[in-house]
Amino acid sequence: MDKIAVLIPCYNESKTVKKVINDYQAVLPEATIYVYDNNSSDDTAAIAKAEGAVVRHEYHQGKGNVIRRMFREIDAEAYIMVDGDDTYPAEFAREMVDKVLDRHVDMVVGDRLSSTYFTENKRPFHNFGNSLVRNSINTLFKSDIKDIMTGYRAFSYQFVKSFPVLSKGFEIETEMSIHAVHKNLLVENVIVTYRDRPEGSESKLNTYSDGFKVIKTIIKLYKNYKPFGFFSILAAVLMLLSAGFFIPVLFEYFATGLVFKFPTLIVCGFVALAALISFFSGVILSTINEKNRQDFEMQLHAIQREYNKLREK
């Protein structure tokens, strides 16, 4: 079991991976540095191996798939996850690791948005998207995470071994944030500086397609983690639609004593029925979700016992 594991998922980062490895070797000399190559077509893996990193491969394309493999294979008391593009300075890693080891924090978020991100990042839609995602999640889940989509994080063993990775791509950070908040895990923020990619290094993030995936992930996880809220909103929308079309039929009936739009009346009835079904679905799923949270707490006890055994070896 490693004391500290530095996790670096990489895809075509030959221009920057050497510096990233060297920086974290200097700041965390006791750490084991893992580079997981995700089908790179350049010399990323060879460079990383030459610099003393443990190089492994994930052939299933996508950052989420790489993180899934890392979390399954590596045991450590504390983990640091960082991108291989040299956008996250290593000097903040020690503070983040100490929060995990000394304060038993489950996830430490490297907060770019409170420092230099908006001045360093030259892609305005990325800036808007990060703010939109942060505000949406903090509102929906009543949290206070300062940077939802940052790739610079520290984790405890308990978080890594209890986190079910479902995302395949860059929406993985959003999934991590929502999981931590919903499961009442201890999350703290550390303000970190951010620097844009050096010249010649290209981002793998597509502003529009990956942005759409992130929004889709937020909606899906809100439905899964907050079913009562999700289905109550759906029920309210359906009931308002039903009422909106029913009111003219009702006024017409009061005025003439007749109903001339029977199809509209029938549709309104079915829509109102769908609203009631949606509401009670939310009630039932909320009860099931509460049971899942109880099971998760028991799972944490089992993971803690496993962690204690590994430390004793």
Side-chain angles (χ1 to χ4, degrees):
M1 188 180 195
D2 298 319
K3 181 73 174 179
I4 303 170
V6 179
L7 313 181
I8 311 176
C10 283
Y11 174 60
N12 290 340
E13 300 291 4
S14 60
K15 294 184 180 297
T16 53
V17 68
K18 177 179 178 179
K19 183 176 184 301
V20 173
I21 293 171
N22 293 158
D23 287 350
Y24 283 87
Q25 286 172 333
V27 172
L28 300 171
E30 74 274 34
T32 303
I33 298 180
Y34 295 89
V35 171
Y36 274 65
D37 182 66
N38 193 206
N39 300 314
S40 295
S41 57
D42 60 13
D43 296 327
T44 296
I47 294 171
K49 187 173 182 180
E51 296 305 313
V54 177
V55 178
R56 295 177 181 172
H57 297 270
E58 171 54 52
Y59 299 104
H60 197 181
Q61 196 67 41
K63 186 176 182 179
N65 294 321
V66 179
I67 299 301
R68 180 188 295 112
R69 177 76 62 183
M70 287 176 159
F71 282 7
R72 284 207 312 255
E73 293 183 350
I74 299 170
D75 294 327
E77 294 183 33
Y79 302 77
I80 282 279
M81 182 182 77
V82 62
D83 292 340
D85 56 9
D86 193 33
T87 55
Y88 299 113
E91 55 261 32
F92 301 96
R94 176 64 66 184
E95 179 184 358
M96 295 169 72
V97 166
D98 286 345
K99 284 182 176 291
V100 173
L101 295 175
D102 299 336
R103 289 176 49 81
H104 308 294
V105 178
D106 291 296
M107 182 174 73
V108 183
V109 176
D111 173 19
R112 310 160 298 170
L113 304 187
S114 298
S115 61
T116 57
Y117 183 80
F118 293 109
T119 55
E120 283 287 319
N121 193 333
K122 305 303 189 294
R123 295 157 292 185
F125 282 107
H126 284 211
N127 297 340
F128 171 75
N130 271 282
S131 298
L132 176 65
V133 170
R134 177 182 61 179
N135 295 335
S136 298
I137 289 179
N138 285 335
T139 299
L140 290 173
F141 291 89
K142 297 180 174 58
S143 59
D144 189 31
I145 297 179
K146 302 300 184 183
D147 190 348
I148 299 295
M149 299 178 67
T150 178
Y152 197 9
R153 298 170 188 252
F155 308 105
S156 67
Y157 179 87
Q158 288 77 7
F159 180 94
V160 166
K161 299 305 179 182
S162 67
F163 174 51
V165 181
L166 301 179
S167 300
K168 299 178 181 179
F170 288 102
E171 61 271 27
I172 181 67
E173 287 93 356
T174 303
E175 186 180 357
M176 288 176 174
S177 301
I178 294 176
H179 170 78
V181 170
H182 179 259
K183 293 300 191 294
N184 196 32
L185 300 175
L186 180 56
V187 179
E188 292 191 1
N189 303 284
V190 169
I191 296 177
V192 302
T193 56
Y194 174 88
R195 52 189 176 227
D196 207 4
R197 282 174 170 268
E199 187 176 352
S201 176
E202 295 183 2
S203 174
K204 317 308 184 296
L205 181 64
N206 184 290
T207 302
Y208 301 103
S209 64
D210 288 308
F212 176 76
K213 290 177 184 177
V214 168
I215 294 172
K216 183 179 177 182
T217 298
I218 293 173
I219 296 172
K220 181 182 70 175
L221 293 177
Y222 184 67
K223 173 180 69 70
N224 293 343
Y225 287 151
K226 298 281 189 178
F228 183 75
F230 179 86
F231 285 101
S232 293
I233 292 172
L234 181 59
V237 171
L238 290 172
M239 193 60 76
L240 286 173
L241 284 173
S242 177
F245 285 100
F246 175 71
I247 288 173
V249 176
L250 183 63
F251 284 167
E252 187 178 67
Y253 174 76
F254 286 151
T256 65
L258 299 172
V259 175
F260 296 102
K261 298 178 180 178
F262 267 106
T264 302
L265 181 63
I266 293 170
V267 171
C268 288
F270 277 112
V271 173
L273 181 61
L276 290 174
I277 292 172
S278 177
F279 176 78
F280 285 107
S281 295
V283 173
I284 294 169
L285 290 172
S286 180
T287 303
I288 295 173
N289 188 53
E290 189 63 28
K291 178 62 169 61
N292 289 339
R293 292 188 65 178
Q294 293 173 358
D295 292 342
F296 177 79
E297 290 300 318
M298 300 309 297
Q299 182 186 354
L300 285 182
H301 286 289
I303 292 172
Q304 183 64 46
R305 289 193 295 270
E306 178 186 349
Y307 173 75
N308 293 336
K309 291 178 181 178
L310 286 171
R311 290 192 64 188
E312 291 170 0
K313 291 183 179 179

